[in-house]
Amino acid sequence: MTMLYGGIEAGGTKFLCAVGTGPDDLRAEARIPTTTPDETIGQAIAFFQEHAESLAAIGIGSFGPLDPNPASSTYGHITTTPKPGWANTDLAGQIGRALDIPVRLDTDVNVAALGEHRWGAAQGLDTFIYLTVGTGIGGGGMVNGRLMHGLVHPEMGHVRIPHDPRSDPYPGSCPYHDDCLEGLASAPAIEKRWGHPPEALPADHPAWALEARYLALGVVNFICTLSPQRVIIGGGVMKRSGLIALVRQNVQQLLNDYVQAPAIREGIDNYITLPNLGQRAGLLGAIALAQQSIE
Amino acid sequence: MTMLYGGIEAGGTKFLCAVGTGPDDLRAEARIPTTTPDETIGQAIAFFQEHAESLAAIGIGSFGPLDPNPASSTYGHITTTPKPGWANTDLAGQIGRALDIPVRLDTDVNVAALGEHRWGAAQGLDTFIYLTVGTGIGGGGMVNGRLMHGLVHPEMGHVRIPHDPRSDPYPGSCPYHDDCLEGLASAPAIEKRWGHPPEALPADHPAWALEARYLALGVVNFICTLSPQRVIIGGGVMKRSGLIALVRQNVQQLLNDYVQAPAIREGIDNYITLPNLGQRAGLLGAIALAQQSIE
């Protein structure tokens, strides 16, 4: 019998669950609304129990903040999330105990990065970042061949970038930092600034030039800090046709030929890319995380 | 006979060379002015030839940009530096061929980080950054237990940070990016903004509050991007008494309790520190790099 793996993309509005071995072999999937921890985690456990016989491990990519350090006493917990009822939830532990199999947990962005590394746009790289631009802005990735953790985990959406209130008087939407990258360029920031959600803004709206500029300022800072071999940008806002090309242009203009790498100077279309796995990066990455825990 | 290691801190104004095994065992040292590559490298080779019998390897921490990728055909070269005569200099190769021993080369900041990891403020950590604030601003460090490289190497001094021209009309000194971190907060930027070099500015001069703010904006961005376990800040500008404390205050205020790690919330004095090895971090790190190449 083929060994199967479970994956969970644990988001603030839904848990996507799957059982399989990769992009071309998903045997079952479920979509569970995120309500209370008991209800949601209970439904996820019930889904995996149907496949318990062949299941070797489960991987979870979760919203956070969370504790991704296997050596910590709160490993696998969602920690300080403002989401009602979910703070201090032992997500990985509850599922592991119920199914009696190994469960690994990491941030949603790190897990999506792992998916892209296994099957998508980051294959063969050892240092790259994966950004997601949607309700929030998050970032993760690998450095030196391993997922980024450090003290806790990156919070790339909260970098500070130049913001000129004369040309953009919107003060920013972040409750902690006002006009950090997430506060200026997430979907809610776009909606609050312009009065319409991103998907309702026409292609020629000035929102898009500003959005590309802010995202490029963030990307340039990540390039200068980490020197990634590739920058993958996903999330709902990036579905806008042409936005990624505008980001590339702004990144090159901002770097101004300072980083003299052919990958950036001549290959920017491959250097800054959308995820190959698209909206499946997170769920497939969770399967990859489960596989990695066994290997 | 004890195996000895050679170290070079290759800077724009001088090459510091040493032979030994660590902080308490440096057998010989030399200070060579940086003039032409032939002259300076020739003098360094002559110095090491006196110890050639017992020398196992040489490590170099160099100004750049440079090629730190051992798999590359230009590994060990200084690449595109604006320093006259030094572009495309095969620094590591020339020394290695002349002495017929292994030579490893990395950025000055990565090598100083390695020194702090072996003998200083970063012992036992696997993810930390080392910044230097002087003629320029540079950054390196380790992620997941290995020095940071990626596509080329980090250029942390060139991150973009908020700059309000109403309160600080100085446009920035970076020839590539004007008001990037280095353009706003390096020693030349301080001198051009205030008309005096940093060491001539009194303790109560407004320069210091502004300097601490800019450095903190950089540090906050590095924390959000990398989640380091510690931030070490060296370089000439940091010799100013009290500046590091001001940087810590600004970092906490800017993070605004978002990163809920005791290391930051309660232990900021240990989290953001001066190098333990002080001005010796680079030279000792070069010895550590040589040792690492043999181990």
Side-chain angles (χ1 to χ4, degrees):
Chain A
M1 192 162 77
T2 308
M3 203 64 110
L4 299 182
Y5 301 92
I8 305 177
E9 184 181 349
T13 58
K14 60 183 185 299
F15 273 40
L16 296 178
C17 303
V19 168
T21 63
D24 303 321
D25 178 34
L26 290 185
R27 312 281 177 96
E29 293 188 57
R31 182 193 172 101
I32 299 164
T34 308
T35 56
T36 64
D38 279 355
E39 193 170 65
T40 306
I41 295 172
Q43 287 181 43
I45 290 168
F47 166 76
F48 288 113
Q49 267 163 345
E50 296 170 31
H51 309 273
E53 264 176 60
S54 47
L55 218 50
I58 289 176
I60 308 174
S62 178
F63 68 98
L66 52 79
D67 184 345
N69 176 9
S72 159
S73 63
T74 54
Y75 171 63
H77 288 55
I78 294 173
T79 54
T80 55
T81 180
K83 192 170 172 62
W86 283 84
N88 307 310
T89 295
D90 183 8
L91 178 55
Q94 286 186 47
I95 294 173
R97 284 188 295 273
L99 297 163
D100 196 24
I101 57 172
V103 176
R104 288 273 293 277
L105 175 139
D106 213 316
T107 62
D108 42 14
V109 278
N110 262 354
V111 168
L114 186 64
E116 289 290 328
H117 188 257
R118 179 72 64 116
W119 294 298
Q123 289 177 67
L125 305 182
D126 63 37
T127 298
F128 69 94
I129 61 170
Y130 179 99
L131 299 174
T132 177
V133 185
T135 311
I137 295 182
M142 278 188 183
V143 176
N144 291 329
R146 288 169 54 200
L147 293 174
M148 297 176 68
H149 291 129
L151 183 68
V152 192
H153 51 69
E155 289 285 358
M156 295 190 196
H158 295 271
V159 295
R160 299 310 219 289
I161 57 171
H163 167 215
D164 184 349
R166 293 165 303 189
S167 55
D168 174 23
Y170 177 64
S173 66
C174 176
Y176 289 90
H177 313 124
D178 295 328
D179 59 353
C180 62
L181 176 60
E182 177 172 298
L184 290 171
S186 62
I190 296 172
E191 177 160 4
K192 285 177 200 150
R193 180 186 292 111
W194 302 107
H196 302 281
E199 58 275 18
L201 295 168
D204 60 354
H205 195 281
W208 298 113
L210 192 66
E211 179 71 7
R213 185 74 178 176
Y214 287 143
L215 292 178
L217 282 162
V219 168
V220 160
N221 283 359
F222 304 138
I223 291 172
C224 288
T225 305
L226 277 167
S227 196
Q229 294 155 335
R230 186 161 292 156
V231 176
I232 303 169
I233 319 182
V237 171
M238 297 309 297
K239 290 183 190 165
R240 169 63 53 149
S241 172
L243 179 57
I244 188 98
L246 274 181
V247 172
R248 291 179 189 128
Q249 282 171 26
N250 276 273
V251 165
Q252 281 193 314
Q253 191 241 320
L254 285 163
L255 284 177
N256 193 23
D257 262 354
Y258 184 73
V259 179
Q260 302 217 355
I264 297 177
R265 300 178 80 188
E266 294 145 30
I268 193 84
D269 291 354
N270 288 317
Y271 185 69
I272 300 176
T273 68
L274 298 170
N276 274 5
L277 303 177
Q279 300 301 105
R280 308 285 276 170
L283 187 58
L284 290 167
I287 300 270
L289 186 67
Q291 291 177 334
Q292 201 181 58
S293 75
I294 298 295
E295 284 163 9
Chain B
M1 192 162 76
T2 309
M3 204 63 112
L4 300 182
Y5 301 92
I8 305 177
E9 184 182 350
T13 58
K14 61 184 184 298
F15 274 40
L16 296 178
C17 303
V19 168
T21 64
D24 303 321
D25 178 35
L26 290 186
R27 314 280 175 97
E29 293 188 57
R31 182 193 173 99
I32 298 164
T34 309
T35 56
T36 64
D38 280 354
E39 193 171 63
T40 304
I41 295 171
Q43 288 181 41
I45 290 168
F47 166 76
F48 288 113
Q49 265 163 345
E50 296 170 31
H51 308 272
E53 265 177 58
S54 47
L55 219 50
I58 289 176
I60 308 175
S62 179
F63 67 99
L66 51 78
D67 184 344
N69 176 9
S72 160
S73 64
T74 54
Y75 170 63
H77 287 55
I78 293 173
T79 54
T80 56
T81 180
K83 192 170 173 60
W86 284 84
N88 307 309
T89 296
D90 183 8
L91 178 55
Q94 286 188 47
I95 294 173
R97 284 188 294 274
L99 296 164
D100 196 25
I101 56 173
V103 176
R104 288 273 293 278
L105 175 139
D106 212 315
T107 63
D108 42 13
V109 278
N110 262 355
V111 168
L114 187 64
E116 290 290 327
H117 188 257
R118 178 73 64 114
W119 294 298
Q123 290 177 64
L125 305 181
D126 63 37
T127 299
F128 69 95
I129 60 169
Y130 179 99
L131 300 174
T132 178
V133 185
T135 310
I137 295 182
M142 278 188 183
V143 176
N144 291 328
R146 288 170 54 200
L147 293 174
M148 297 176 67
H149 291 129
L151 182 67
V152 191
H153 51 68
E155 289 284 359
M156 296 191 195
H158 295 272
V159 294
R160 299 311 219 287
I161 56 171
H163 168 214
D164 184 349
R166 294 166 301 188
S167 55
D168 174 24
Y170 178 64
S173 66
C174 176
Y176 289 89
H177 313 123
D178 295 329
D179 59 354
C180 62
L181 176 61
E182 177 171 299
L184 291 171
S186 62
I190 296 172
E191 177 160 2
K192 285 176 199 151
R193 179 186 292 111
W194 302 106
H196 302 282
E199 58 275 17
L201 295 168
D204 60 354
H205 194 283
W208 298 112
L210 191 67
E211 179 70 8
R213 186 73 178 177
Y214 287 143
L215 293 178
L217 283 161
V219 168
V220 160
N221 282 0
F222 304 138
I223 291 172
C224 287
T225 305
L226 277 166
S227 196
Q229 296 154 334
R230 186 161 293 156
V231 176
I232 303 170
I233 318 181
V237 171
M238 297 310 296
K239 289 183 188 166
R240 169 63 53 149
S241 172
L243 179 57
I244 187 98
L246 274 181
V247 173
R248 291 179 188 128
Q249 283 171 25
N250 275 274
V251 166
Q252 281 192 315
Q253 191 240 319
L254 286 163
L255 283 176
N256 195 22
D257 264 353
Y258 184 74
V259 179
Q260 302 218 355
I264 297 177
R265 300 178 79 189
E266 295 145 31
I268 193 84
D269 290 355
N270 288 317
Y271 185 69
I272 300 176
T273 69
L274 298 169
N276 275 5
L277 304 176
Q279 300 301 106
R280 309 284 277 170
L283 187 58
L284 289 167
I287 300 272
L289 186 66
Q291 290 177 335
Q292 202 180 58
S293 76
I294 297 295
E295 285 162 9

